Amino acid sequence: MVSRVAVIPARGGSKRIPRKNIIDFMGKPLIAWTIEEALKSDCFDSVVVSTEDKEIAGIAIEYGAEVPFLRE
């Protein structure tokens, strides 16, 4: 069986808009919208966020994504 995985890259150190992935956008962090849409799509068996940032990782887990490790 083939597993379909959505990988969402999320850097903590954006150059143009610092911390953009955790900025509140219409009541929730920006990255939450991406995670929720990927989960809602029923296209993927799992949604994984790839990040080096502990705060982003916590938010990703809170919204239902997996964060198997933190990048260096």
Side-chain angles (χ1 to χ4, degrees):
M1 177 191 235
V2 175
S3 183
R4 299 165 298 163
V5 180
V7 179
I8 301 170
R11 286 186 47 204
S14 174
K15 294 184 185 217
R16 285 196 237 174
I17 304 172
R19 313 289 294 154
K20 73 178 172 199
N21 288 302
I22 61 171
I23 288 175
D24 183 275
F25 180 74
M26 295 178 52
K28 55 187 155 186
L30 189 59
I31 194 167
W33 293 93
T34 307
I35 294 166
E36 287 180 342
E37 289 303 311
L39 290 168
K40 191 167 59 174
S41 75
D42 286 330
C43 292
F44 308 105
D45 298 312
S46 60
V47 176
V48 175
V49 171
S50 174
T51 187
E52 82 293 348
D53 187 282
K54 288 181 183 178
E55 189 174 7
I56 292 173
I59 291 168
I61 291 167
E62 178 183 341
Y63 282 90
E66 299 173 32
V67 184
F69 58 87
L70 291 177
R71 296 189 317 243
E72 289 188 29

